[in-house]
Amino acid sequence: QASAAQVAAKDTVPTPAHTVPPTAHGRAQPHRFASAMDFLKNLVGAAQALKQTNQPVASVANYLRRAPATSGDGDVHMLIFALDYKRTSNALTCSMDGRNMEALARACGVTDCVAMYDEQCTKDAAFRAIQQVGARCGDDDYFIIYYSGHGTSVEDSDGDEEDGQDEAFCFVDPAGQISCDTLMTDDEFAECVAGATEEGVRIVILTDCCHSGTIADLEKDEWEQREVVSIAGCLDGQTSGDMGKGGIFTHALLLAIDQLQDAGTDDYSIGMLYNLTLDKDNKVFNSAQDITIQTSRAVKPDGMAWPLIPKTDYKAPLTQAAQQAGGGGTAEEAMQQAMVNPQLLQQLGIKPQLAQFINSSGLQSGEIDVKQFLKAGVECYMEEGAPKMHARFSEARRHSEQVGSGDLSNL
């Protein structure tokens, strides 16, 4: 990683040497999805942005565009911000979150992953990073933004917040300090991301920080015609549980991806992943954290494919800890052994404080029943009165497969 001084001097952000040019994977031409995008907008019409906390959402795959890992079209571009605030009196361990997400990106074959840590994460550098990575995203790509660090609330400057408060990311100055000048409000964030990306880009925002429930407020006008989904690790009034190995939400998310792969599932919606992340939060961490999903008006949780699908045998850090310490015992016994093994904890970046939240039985791999989560999603789906929309999506998908393109103008 480049130093903060290098970032400031070059007026740029670290770009990985292995970044692949946008055309390297034969991305479908933008016109292929032009009419599909129009079709989707026609379907959602005057739909409202969705916000749901700690409750299952619709999860049956109702998307026309699959993830690049399964469709072969498009690329995933990822930007990671992780701050430990080592030079302040409120230090965290969020760099561990960031490295966990980097490891996931590698397992998924993501070739454009920019990770910024600590003093690299000035407000100006964050703006430039969003602009530069966003500019590399084409119509059929994903732009994933992951943030782990402090969040805060500030007085709403434009009157668009009911509670009179804007939420903000706590970036730092070159000396690692936080001030009013280093905060990026949700208004600034929305304007920057929307302005940096083309309309057809699918955007996923993941935040593990306090005051993160609406830190990516998807009811803003900037998001109205964009396909954007956000999952946040706590509500605006809460403080994210810093676990020594990062936040609870991050661990629950990684466990969900791990176990979906164990179940042989490699094509699922963000709604499905959210539902299973809730399950892991409940079973492994005893619901220690509230997890919120938001969508823009143009998409629903079951209407976007989850983009990070491992291409190798992926194991979440907590699964690795249980397996390496297991010795053939139960998950509870394995985790107990892991928590008194400083060398193993250091290797995996897990601090003993994590034990206070863990119900080890929830770490049993291969226990999930994908049909169970589909059923929960279907119940939500039917409650929304969506069978007709589902039929139209199915008809559109069949038509697209028959003609070999995304042209839906004949429907």
Side-chain angles (χ1 to χ4, degrees), residues 79 124 126-136 143 192 196:
L79 178 57
D124 287 344
F127 273 132
R128 291 193 296 271
I130 292 170
Q131 291 165 353
Q132 292 173 5
V133 179
R136 296 199 287 269
F143 186 12
C192 184

Side-chain angles (χ1 to χ4, degrees), residues 136-380:
R136 296 199 287 269
C137 299
D139 272 353
D140 202 29
D141 291 352
Y142 279 88
F143 186 12
I144 303 174
I145 300 174
Y146 174 86
Y147 176 88
S148 183
H150 283 308
T152 191
S153 295
V154 296
E155 185 176 352
D156 179 19
S157 60
D158 58 7
D160 67 337
E161 301 285 354
E162 291 184 3
D163 61 359
Q165 297 286 306
D166 277 327
E167 278 62 55
F169 298 95
C170 294
F171 291 108
V172 295
D173 62 24
Q177 300 301 306
I178 303 172
S179 70
C180 292
D181 292 335
T182 69
L183 303 181
M184 183 187 294
T185 66
D186 50 7
D187 293 334
E188 294 173 316
F189 177 75
E191 183 177 354
C192 184
V193 176
T197 53
E198 298 178 12
E199 188 171 317
V201 176
R202 291 167 282 184
I203 299 170
V204 179
I205 302 163
L206 307 171
T207 58
D208 201 337
C209 61
C210 52
H211 300 288
S212 63
T214 55
I215 205 165
D217 188 348
L218 300 187
E219 294 185 355
K220 297 184 180 299
D221 292 341
E222 289 87 346
W223 303 123
E224 185 173 2
Q225 298 298 324
R226 312 298 295 273
E227 290 190 40
V228 190
V229 180
S230 166
I231 306 180
C234 62
L235 295 176
D236 293 345
Q238 292 183 318
T239 299
S240 185
D242 181 44
M243 305 311 307
K245 170 95 169 105
I248 291 170
F249 161 60
T250 300
H251 276 293
L253 179 80
L254 296 175
L255 284 168
I257 294 170
D258 174 347
Q259 295 199 352
L260 280 165
Q261 184 188 54
D262 276 354
T265 306
D266 62 1
D267 183 13
Y268 48 90
S269 70
I270 290 184
M272 168 67 83
L273 180 67
Y274 172 75
N275 290 349
L276 186 54
T277 299
L278 290 182
D279 183 69
K280 295 296 98 181
D281 181 45
N282 293 335
K283 292 183 177 178
V284 178
F285 298 106
N286 299 307
S287 302
Q289 199 171 8
D290 288 335
I291 301 177
T292 298
I293 188 170
Q294 290 186 88
T295 67
S296 63
R297 296 182 181 94
V299 70
K300 296 302 179 189
D302 57 346
M304 184 185 291
W306 172 252
L308 293 175
I309 306 297
K311 296 183 176 181
T312 60
D313 184 21
Y314 174 75
K315 295 299 177 188
L318 289 176
T319 303
Q320 294 181 52
Q323 289 180 341
Q324 293 184 37
T330 66
E332 290 91 340
E333 293 169 343
M335 188 52 62
Q336 288 171 7
Q337 293 179 40
M339 288 301 166
V340 295
N341 185 336
Q343 184 175 2
L344 176 60
L345 295 179
Q346 179 66 30
Q347 175 187 340
L348 297 175
I350 301 172
K351 291 187 177 181
Q353 295 93 311
L354 189 65
Q356 64 181 305
F357 295 98
I358 287 180
N359 176 358
S360 301
S361 63
L363 291 173
Q364 297 274 15
S365 182
E367 285 189 341
I368 70 165
D369 180 355
V370 174
K371 292 181 180 179
Q372 168 193 347
F373 294 96
L374 282 173
K375 180 181 178 183
V378 168
E379 290 173 353
C380 295

Side-chain angles (χ1 to χ4, degrees), residues 72-95:
D73 293 325
D75 292 300
V76 175
H77 306 264
M78 192 165 180
L79 178 57
I80 296 170
F81 299 113
L83 298 94
D84 287 342
Y85 308 98
K86 296 174 183 176
R87 300 184 184 182
T88 73
S89 59
N90 295 303
L92 299 176
T93 55
C94 297
S95 61

Side-chain angles (χ1 to χ4, degrees), residues 20-29 32 72-75 140:
V20 175
T23 57
H25 294 299
R27 177 188 302 125
Q29 295 301 312
R32 175 178 178 184
D73 293 325
D75 292 300
D140 202 29

Side-chain angles (χ1 to χ4, degrees), residues 358-407:
I358 287 180
N359 176 358
S360 301
S361 63
L363 291 173
Q364 297 274 15
S365 182
E367 285 189 341
I368 70 165
D369 180 355
V370 174
K371 292 181 180 179
Q372 168 193 347
F373 294 96
L374 282 173
K375 180 181 178 183
V378 168
E379 290 173 353
C380 295
Y381 187 69
M382 297 302 288
E383 288 173 3
E384 293 171 3
K388 291 183 180 179
M389 185 178 289
H390 172 67
R392 293 190 67 189
F393 269 110
S394 299
E395 181 184 357
R397 181 174 291 156
R398 286 195 300 271
H399 174 78
S400 179
E401 291 172 351
Q402 289 170 0
V403 301
S405 88
D407 183 5

